[in-house]
Amino acid sequence: MDTYNNITNDIFKESSLTYDQKFKQLFAKKIFLAPVLKNIIPEYKELNLETIEELITTHSNVKVNPQVYNSDDSGKGNEAETHYDVLADCVLPDGETICVGFFFDLEMQRESNPGYPVPKRGVYYCCRLISRQIENLGEESYNQLKPVYSVWILINNIPKHLRNSIYSAKLSGYSNKESIDISKLNSQIDLIHLYLVYLSEDFKYEENQENLIKYLQSVFIKQVDNPEFNPYYEYSSKIKKEVDEVMTIRESFEARGEARGEARGEARGMIKGRIAFLLEAGYPDTKIIEYLTTMKKNPLTLEQAEKFLEEYCEEYPD
């Protein structure tokens, strides 16, 4: 099994140098982000993409607005480190500035789960972006706080009812007195905006999908210059070559991941078959573990052997 672990480590090491970096380079391009921002930021809705492109400054793995942001956030005290894949400073048409944090959940393995509730993590990231402004601007600078946007693009293990949908959440309030106009108060807390963009693993196209869904799916299926798939095809055609290259790399890693999964499955099946034979032959657990840890080909560690035996006995209790 160590052999398979080594293969896995090598693949992920390679992917962090190629696949992940290529994605960040693509997603940090203003020409890539402009259609996304047009569908996310209300003040950009009516602007053309060329104008939006002029209003944003993107950063990937570098210091972002050094007086306020940094792409690696060590947090306070025991807070967990926060890493931002892509951050963008966005100037609004009226001259105001907001910060948009983009977080992409693009796992190599289709069967992977992030291991945490994405909505909760998205809210936490928004809060960190807010709190860090005070850290740098000072305790008396609440009037200078800028709105933040956290956008997550998810493609893995999406429940059927969520596929090709967009979930958004923001801060708002209400008053127990209907006569009170709370619009001013709401405008003062309108700081956090979370967007979860759920795609589908097959990137199925449907006519009634939102433009943001259509655009992102055209990227993943390498159809950014195709008017049948991308509502912004004329604008996006300028990055077709780079999109196709990145998505080809992605497909290659996924294919290798599936092959690795099949190999793991065969290895696990072989080991469980040997456990079954030894149990039927009357061997005690200690002898079975001894056998598994001394096999001539790919011997298991003691911990691995004990786990395999435990899993087998749970799966076949009789």
Side-chain angles (χ1 to χ4, degrees):
M1 293 300 292
D2 288 342
T3 301
Y4 297 108
N5 290 335
N6 289 337
I7 292 174
T8 302
N9 291 336
D10 289 344
I11 288 176
F12 278 109
K13 181 179 179 181
E14 181 181 352
S15 71
S16 68
L17 297 174
T18 55
Y19 176 94
D20 191 49
Q21 289 302 316
K22 285 287 186 181
F23 250 109
K24 289 177 181 178
Q25 289 171 15
L26 172 62
F27 280 40
K29 287 184 175 296
K30 291 189 284 186
I31 193 172
F32 172 87
L33 289 178
V36 179
L37 296 174
K38 182 178 178 67
N39 288 275
I40 293 295
I41 300 176
E43 292 84 353
Y44 284 1
K45 294 289 186 184
E46 304 303 321
L47 300 182
N48 62 51
L49 294 171
E50 288 77 13
T51 299
I52 294 173
E53 187 178 338
E54 294 175 359
L55 293 175
I56 62 177
T57 303
T58 62
H59 314 264
S60 179
N61 296 330
V62 294
K63 287 186 177 181
V64 180
N65 191 356
Q67 292 183 344
V68 179
Y69 296 109
N70 185 314
S71 61
D72 285 304
D73 177 0
S74 60
K76 290 182 177 179
N78 295 324
E79 286 190 39
E81 181 176 88
T82 304
H83 177 78
Y84 309 110
D85 288 337
V86 179
L87 283 173
D89 293 324
C90 300
V91 180
L92 300 182
D94 63 2
E96 278 292 311
T97 302
I98 60 176
C99 182
V100 182
F102 286 89
F103 307 96
F104 302 98
D105 175 42
L106 298 171
E107 306 290 337
M108 306 309 174
Q109 301 283 335
R110 287 192 182 274
E111 71 274 16
S112 295
N113 286 309
Y116 51 81
V118 174
K120 288 186 177 181
R121 188 167 183 180
V123 170
Y124 171 76
Y125 275 29
C126 283
C127 292
R128 286 298 299 140
L129 287 170
I130 291 291
S131 68
R132 292 175 63 199
Q133 294 181 55
I134 292 298
E135 291 173 22
N136 290 277
L137 296 173
E139 292 294 335
E140 303 303 320
S141 302
Y142 295 107
N143 61 323
Q144 298 182 46
L145 288 176
K146 306 296 183 184
V148 300
Y149 287 71
S150 176
V151 181
W152 297 66
I153 299 173
L154 305 104
I155 63 173
N156 299 301
N157 296 314
I158 308 301
K160 189 173 182 179
H161 69 283
L162 286 177
R163 292 171 188 169
N164 300 323
S165 67
I166 302 171
Y167 170 81
S168 62
K170 67 175 186 177
L171 279 177
S172 64
Y174 72 95
S175 172
N176 65 332
K177 291 185 178 181
E178 296 182 1
S179 60
I180 295 178
D181 181 4
I182 62 172
S183 58
K184 183 176 181 180
L185 292 173
N186 276 338
S187 67
Q188 292 176 354
I189 67 168
D190 188 26
L191 295 174
I192 289 178
H193 303 263
L194 172 65
Y195 285 81
L196 306 181
V197 183
Y198 295 100
L199 302 182
S200 58
E201 294 187 20
D202 58 3
F203 305 111
K204 184 178 179 181
Y205 175 85
E206 296 175 2
E207 187 63 35
N208 61 348
Q209 288 171 348
E210 296 282 343
N211 282 344
L212 179 56
I213 298 289
K214 291 179 180 178
Y215 168 67
L216 290 172
Q217 294 197 147
S218 76
V219 170
F220 282 96
I221 62 175
K222 297 186 287 190
Q223 296 289 336
V224 293
D225 64 336
N226 190 334
E228 294 184 12
F229 294 93
N230 182 9
Y232 312 109
Y233 70 96
E234 290 183 307
Y235 178 80
S236 301
S237 62
K238 293 175 282 187
I239 55 172
K240 173 177 170 53
K241 183 177 180 181
E242 185 171 3
V243 167
D244 289 354
E245 177 189 356
V246 172
M247 294 306 152
T248 298
I249 293 173
R250 169 182 168 271
E251 290 168 355
S252 173
F253 275 108
E254 288 192 345
R256 292 168 64 182
E258 290 174 3
R260 186 174 72 248
E262 291 175 1
R264 279 179 168 176
E266 291 176 3
R268 293 178 67 86
M270 177 191 68
I271 292 170
K272 288 187 175 182
R274 292 181 180 180
I275 291 174
F277 175 80
L278 293 171
L279 285 172
E280 290 175 6
Y283 282 87
D285 291 356
T286 53
K287 286 295 183 182
I288 295 175
I289 290 174
E290 180 182 347
Y291 169 79
L292 295 175
T293 57
T294 57
M295 292 186 297
K296 290 183 178 180
K297 187 176 181 180
N298 296 327
L300 305 183
T301 65
L302 177 60
E303 182 180 0
Q304 290 171 335
E306 290 175 342
K307 185 174 181 179
F308 264 103
L309 182 58
E310 180 183 355
E311 289 179 354
Y312 182 88
C313 292
E314 289 178 353
E315 188 173 353
Y316 304 101
D318 296 332

